[in-house]
PDB file of all heavy atoms in Angstrom:
ATOM      1  N   ARG A 340    -272.686 -25.068  94.478  1.00 93.00           N
ATOM      2  CA  ARG A 340    -273.745 -25.597  93.621  1.00 93.00           C
ATOM      3  C   ARG A 340    -275.085 -25.472  94.338  1.00 93.00           C
ATOM      4  O   ARG A 340    -275.193 -25.774  95.531  1.00 93.00           O
ATOM      5  CB  ARG A 340    -273.473 -27.053  93.255  1.00 93.00           C
ATOM      6  CG  ARG A 340    -272.245 -27.221  92.378  1.00 93.00           C
ATOM      7  CD  ARG A 340    -272.099 -28.635  91.843  1.00 93.00           C
ATOM      8  NE  ARG A 340    -270.968 -28.742  90.939  1.00 93.00           N
ATOM      9  CZ  ARG A 340    -270.989 -28.395  89.653  1.00 93.00           C
ATOM     10  NH1 ARG A 340    -272.127 -27.937  89.132  1.00 93.00           N
ATOM     11  NH2 ARG A 340    -269.925 -28.509  88.900  1.00 93.00           N
ATOM     12  N   VAL A 341    -276.092 -25.043  93.587  1.00 94.00           N
ATOM     13  CA  VAL A 341    -277.410 -24.805  94.172  1.00 94.00           C
ATOM     14  C   VAL A 341    -278.490 -25.276  93.212  1.00 94.00           C
ATOM     15  O   VAL A 341    -278.220 -25.572  92.035  1.00 94.00           O
ATOM     16  CB  VAL A 341    -277.626 -23.301  94.473  1.00 94.00           C
ATOM     17  CG1 VAL A 341    -276.655 -22.804  95.526  1.00 94.00           C
ATOM     18  CG2 VAL A 341    -277.509 -22.473  93.197  1.00 94.00           C
ATOM     19  N   VAL A 342    -279.731 -25.342  93.718  1.00 93.00           N
ATOM     20  CA  VAL A 342    -280.894 -25.543  92.849  1.00 93.00           C
ATOM     21  C   VAL A 342    -281.822 -24.348  93.032  1.00 93.00           C
ATOM     22  O   VAL A 342    -281.882 -23.742  94.097  1.00 93.00           O
ATOM     23  CB  VAL A 342    -281.636 -26.860  93.155  1.00 93.00           C
ATOM     24  CG1 VAL A 342    -280.758 -28.054  92.843  1.00 93.00           C
ATOM     25  CG2 VAL A 342    -282.112 -26.898  94.599  1.00 93.00           C
ATOM     26  N   VAL A 343    -282.524 -24.021  91.966  1.00 93.00           N
ATOM     27  CA  VAL A 343    -283.432 -22.873  91.945  1.00 93.00           C
ATOM     28  C   VAL A 343    -284.787 -23.325  91.428  1.00 93.00           C
ATOM     29  O   VAL A 343    -284.863 -24.091  90.456  1.00 93.00           O
ATOM     30  CB  VAL A 343    -282.877 -21.749  91.037  1.00 93.00           C
ATOM     31  CG1 VAL A 343    -283.864 -20.600  90.928  1.00 93.00           C
ATOM     32  CG2 VAL A 343    -281.535 -21.254  91.557  1.00 93.00           C
ATOM     33  N   ARG A 344    -285.847 -22.855  92.076  1.00 91.00           N
ATOM     34  CA  ARG A 344    -287.209 -23.160  91.620  1.00 91.00           C
ATOM     35  C   ARG A 344    -288.133 -22.027  92.067  1.00 91.00           C
ATOM     36  O   ARG A 344    -287.766 -21.243  92.950  1.00 91.00           O
ATOM     37  CB  ARG A 344    -287.688 -24.493  92.188  1.00 91.00           C
ATOM     38  CG  ARG A 344    -287.893 -24.517  93.698  1.00 91.00           C
ATOM     39  CD  ARG A 344    -288.483 -25.863  94.125  1.00 91.00           C
ATOM     40  NE  ARG A 344    -288.863 -25.889  95.526  1.00 91.00           N
ATOM     41  CZ  ARG A 344    -288.072 -26.214  96.522  1.00 91.00           C
ATOM     42  NH1 ARG A 344    -286.820 -26.545  96.269  1.00 91.00           N
ATOM     43  NH2 ARG A 344    -288.526 -26.228  97.769  1.00 91.00           N
ATOM     44  N   PRO A 345    -289.331 -21.938  91.508  1.00 92.00           N
ATOM     45  CA  PRO A 345    -290.272 -20.898  91.962  1.00 92.00           C
ATOM     46  C   PRO A 345    -290.710 -21.145  93.397  1.00 92.00           C
ATOM     47  O   PRO A 345    -290.908 -22.298  93.814  1.00 92.00           O
ATOM     48  CB  PRO A 345    -291.458 -21.050  90.988  1.00 92.00           C
ATOM     49  CG  PRO A 345    -290.913 -21.778  89.817  1.00 92.00           C
ATOM     50  CD  PRO A 345    -289.857 -22.688  90.352  1.00 92.00           C
ATOM     51  N   ARG A 346    -290.852 -20.068  94.148  1.00 91.00           N
ATOM     52  CA  ARG A 346    -291.412 -20.168  95.491  1.00 91.00           C
ATOM     53  C   ARG A 346    -292.898 -20.504  95.407  1.00 91.00           C
ATOM     54  O   ARG A 346    -293.543 -20.230  94.391  1.00 91.00           O
ATOM     55  CB  ARG A 346    -291.246 -18.840  96.240  1.00 91.00           C
ATOM     56  CG  ARG A 346    -289.834 -18.490  96.602  1.00 91.00           C
ATOM     57  CD  ARG A 346    -289.776 -17.172  97.350  1.00 91.00           C
ATOM     58  NE  ARG A 346    -288.420 -16.820  97.733  1.00 91.00           N
ATOM     59  CZ  ARG A 346    -287.810 -17.244  98.833  1.00 91.00           C
ATOM     60  NH1 ARG A 346    -288.483 -18.022  99.681  1.00 91.00           N
ATOM     61  NH2 ARG A 346    -286.575 -16.886  99.102  1.00 91.00           N
ATOM     62  N   PRO A 347    -293.481 -21.077  96.460  1.00 88.00           N
ATOM     63  CA  PRO A 347    -294.934 -21.256  96.469  1.00 88.00           C
ATOM     64  C   PRO A 347    -295.633 -19.910  96.288  1.00 88.00           C
ATOM     65  O   PRO A 347    -295.291 -18.916  96.945  1.00 88.00           O
ATOM     66  CB  PRO A 347    -295.193 -21.830  97.872  1.00 88.00           C
ATOM     67  CG  PRO A 347    -293.899 -22.480  98.256  1.00 88.00           C
ATOM     68  CD  PRO A 347    -292.826 -21.645  97.641  1.00 88.00           C
ATOM     69  N   GLY A 348    -296.587 -19.841  95.375  1.00 87.00           N
ATOM     70  CA  GLY A 348    -297.309 -18.602  95.118  1.00 87.00           C
ATOM     71  C   GLY A 348    -296.561 -17.615  94.247  1.00 87.00           C
ATOM     72  O   GLY A 348    -296.983 -16.474  94.097  1.00 87.00           O
ATOM     73  N   ALA A 349    -295.435 -18.051  93.641  1.00 89.00           N
ATOM     74  CA  ALA A 349    -294.653 -17.146  92.809  1.00 89.00           C
ATOM     75  C   ALA A 349    -295.444 -16.700  91.598  1.00 89.00           C
ATOM     76  O   ALA A 349    -296.291 -17.421  91.071  1.00 89.00           O
ATOM     77  CB  ALA A 349    -293.364 -17.857  92.349  1.00 89.00           C
ATOM     78  N   ARG A 350    -295.158 -15.473  91.133  1.00 90.00           N
ATOM     79  CA  ARG A 350    -295.775 -14.934  89.932  1.00 90.00           C
ATOM     80  C   ARG A 350    -294.869 -15.261  88.754  1.00 90.00           C
ATOM     81  O   ARG A 350    -293.744 -14.744  88.652  1.00 90.00           O
ATOM     82  CB  ARG A 350    -295.965 -13.431  90.060  1.00 90.00           C
ATOM     83  CG  ARG A 350    -296.932 -13.020  91.160  1.00 90.00           C
ATOM     84  CD  ARG A 350    -296.589 -11.657  91.715  1.00 90.00           C
ATOM     85  NE  ARG A 350    -295.267 -11.644  92.352  1.00 90.00           N
ATOM     86  CZ  ARG A 350    -294.765 -10.613  93.000  1.00 90.00           C
ATOM     87  NH1 ARG A 350    -295.447  -9.509  93.092  1.00 90.00           N
ATOM     88  NH2 ARG A 350    -293.547 -10.676  93.527  1.00 90.00           N
ATOM     89  N   VAL A 351    -295.337 -16.127  87.880  1.00 90.00           N
ATOM     90  CA  VAL A 351    -294.579 -16.528  86.692  1.00 90.00           C
ATOM     91  C   VAL A 351    -295.360 -16.074  85.466  1.00 90.00           C
ATOM     92  O   VAL A 351    -296.469 -16.548  85.222  1.00 90.00           O
ATOM     93  CB  VAL A 351    -294.351 -18.055  86.653  1.00 90.00           C
ATOM     94  CG1 VAL A 351    -293.478 -18.425  85.462  1.00 90.00           C
ATOM     95  CG2 VAL A 351    -293.724 -18.545  87.954  1.00 90.00           C
ATOM     96  N   HIS A 352    -294.800 -15.133  84.717  1.00 90.00           N
ATOM     97  CA  HIS A 352    -295.486 -14.551  83.561  1.00 90.00           C
ATOM     98  C   HIS A 352    -294.942 -15.173  82.275  1.00 90.00           C
ATOM     99  O   HIS A 352    -293.738 -15.397  82.151  1.00 90.00           O
ATOM    100  CB  HIS A 352    -295.259 -13.046  83.503  1.00 90.00           C
ATOM    101  CG  HIS A 352    -295.592 -12.352  84.792  1.00 90.00           C
ATOM    102  ND1 HIS A 352    -296.865 -12.071  85.177  1.00 90.00           N
ATOM    103  CD2 HIS A 352    -294.778 -11.881  85.792  1.00 90.00           C
ATOM    104  CE1 HIS A 352    -296.847 -11.450  86.356  1.00 90.00           C
ATOM    105  NE2 HIS A 352    -295.592 -11.329  86.742  1.00 90.00           N
ATOM    106  N   ALA A 353    -295.839 -15.438  81.325  1.00 89.00           N
ATOM    107  CA  ALA A 353    -295.433 -15.988  80.037  1.00 89.00           C
ATOM    108  C   ALA A 353    -295.861 -15.034  78.927  1.00 89.00           C
ATOM    109  O   ALA A 353    -297.029 -14.607  78.881  1.00 89.00           O
ATOM    110  CB  ALA A 353    -296.071 -17.359  79.823  1.00 89.00           C
ATOM    111  N   PHE A 354    -294.922 -14.710  78.034  1.00 90.00           N
ATOM    112  CA  PHE A 354    -295.215 -13.832  76.904  1.00 90.00           C
ATOM    113  C   PHE A 354    -294.711 -14.482  75.616  1.00 90.00           C
ATOM    114  O   PHE A 354    -293.697 -15.182  75.625  1.00 90.00           O
ATOM    115  CB  PHE A 354    -294.528 -12.474  77.081  1.00 90.00           C
ATOM    116  CG  PHE A 354    -294.928 -11.776  78.359  1.00 90.00           C
ATOM    117  CD1 PHE A 354    -294.042 -11.706  79.435  1.00 90.00           C
ATOM    118  CD2 PHE A 354    -296.180 -11.214  78.497  1.00 90.00           C
ATOM    119  CE1 PHE A 354    -294.400 -11.065  80.596  1.00 90.00           C
ATOM    120  CE2 PHE A 354    -296.553 -10.583  79.676  1.00 90.00           C
ATOM    121  CZ  PHE A 354    -295.666 -10.502  80.733  1.00 90.00           C
ATOM    122  N   SER A 355    -295.398 -14.233  74.529  1.00 86.00           N
ATOM    123  CA  SER A 355    -294.995 -14.806  73.233  1.00 86.00           C
ATOM    124  C   SER A 355    -293.573 -14.416  72.911  1.00 86.00           C
ATOM    125  O   SER A 355    -293.192 -13.251  73.053  1.00 86.00           O
ATOM    126  CB  SER A 355    -295.926 -14.332  72.121  1.00 86.00           C
ATOM    127  OG  SER A 355    -297.261 -14.755  72.372  1.00 86.00           O
TER     128      SER A 355
END
Side-chain angles (χ1 to χ4, degrees):
R340 294 189 176 278
V341 296
V342 295
V343 176
R344 67 175 187 272
R346 291 181 179 275
R350 296 151 297 185
V351 184
H352 308 282
F354 302 106
S355 299

